[in-house]
Amino acid sequence: FLLKADIFSIQDIPQASYDFEIQRQMKEMAGRIEKLKKGFSQLPAYTWDDMEAVQEQRSSLHRSLTALCSKTSSNQSCIRLMLAKICYNLLISTAPPNITTYNILLAELTRLQQSDLAQIVVDSFLNESKFKPRKSTLTLIIEHYSAKKDRAGLRAIIQRMRATDGDMHIKKKALIFLPIPQVQQWALTNKVIHRNGHFSQKTPRDPQIF
């Protein structure tokens, strides 16, 4: 997101091509992030001492992200400023993102018709997280690929949902655990597929997903 915001090149843009207030805020955000880079702590820095505090911090993060996105128009300069502020909020949060964080960003970026940015969120969810998707997550991912008219991407997601090529982080067990009664019960009561020495659970599909 920082690369897409290109926040540190704001000084190189002719002032006439930028709204003065946006330019002022971009310079302010560049200064804030620069201070974070020069600090002694590596950010983000998460804490787990108090789960109640973590949940409150995460709720605060989500409120901030929702407010930032809802106030943003599809104007490219506004998008860059929004991304800079999103990055700052993600960096200073003491609570790590969860599936709600992904849902908020994916829904808002799709609404703003920022398919490239939404794809960053999808790729991060699939390749950098282990979160189990909610039904809303699956719907948002399908809507994202539909909105960008990406048939190849949609087919790839369907293959993941079927667990024939990758998976959607639903549930996966190595074949060696099959003798365990609980694993047997799981395999018998859910739609699973055997691939490469693992049983992977297929993504449940209902009318909303279809």
Side-chain angles (χ1 to χ4, degrees), residues 101-210:
T101 319
Y102 279 92
N103 282 359
I104 291 171
L105 292 173
L106 186 54
E108 292 296 338
L109 292 172
T110 300
R111 178 185 64 81
L112 290 166
Q113 300 180 332
Q114 299 296 314
S115 57
D116 289 348
L117 300 176
Q119 188 63 54
I120 292 174
V121 180
V122 173
D123 291 342
S124 176
F125 166 72
L126 294 174
N127 304 320
E128 299 172 355
S129 85
K130 295 183 179 180
F131 295 128
K132 180 178 179 180
R134 298 172 184 162
K135 185 188 301 185
S136 55
T137 313
L138 298 168
T139 305
L140 286 166
I141 292 174
I142 292 170
E143 289 176 348
H144 157 67
Y145 282 110
S146 298
K148 67 183 293 196
K149 297 179 173 59
D150 185 349
R151 289 191 175 189
L154 185 58
R155 281 197 297 269
I157 286 297
I158 292 172
Q159 293 301 308
R160 280 181 172 271
M161 292 174 67
R162 295 175 61 196
T164 57
D165 186 5
D167 60 71
M168 293 296 292
H169 309 170
I170 304 297
K171 193 169 184 178
K172 188 175 184 179
K173 290 290 182 182
L175 184 60
I176 59 173
F177 295 118
L178 190 57
I180 300 174
Q182 293 91 331
V183 177
Q184 289 183 18
Q185 181 67 16
W186 162 73
L188 289 170
T189 55
N190 292 277
K191 293 183 178 180
V192 300
I193 189 171
H194 178 216
R195 288 286 186 277
N196 302 319
H198 287 82
F199 282 107
S200 295
Q201 185 173 338
K202 295 183 178 182
T203 305
R205 284 173 283 183
D206 60 11
Q208 181 180 349
I209 299 300
F210 276 114

Side-chain angles (χ1 to χ4, degrees), residues 2 5-8 10-11 21-37 68 77-78 80-92:
L2 276 173
D6 201 16
I7 189 170
F8 297 109
I10 185 68
Q11 294 84 354
E21 177 59 21
I22 291 179
Q23 188 177 51
R24 184 192 67 77
Q25 290 190 51
M26 283 288 279
K27 289 181 178 179
E28 179 184 344
M29 293 309 303
R32 288 188 183 185
I33 292 175
E34 188 65 34
K35 286 182 180 179
L36 294 180
K37 290 171 62 179
L68 282 172
S77 58
C78 293
R80 289 178 65 185
L81 177 59
M82 178 192 72
L83 284 179
K85 291 183 176 181
I86 287 174
C87 291
Y88 183 78
N89 278 272
L90 290 173
L91 285 170
I92 66 172

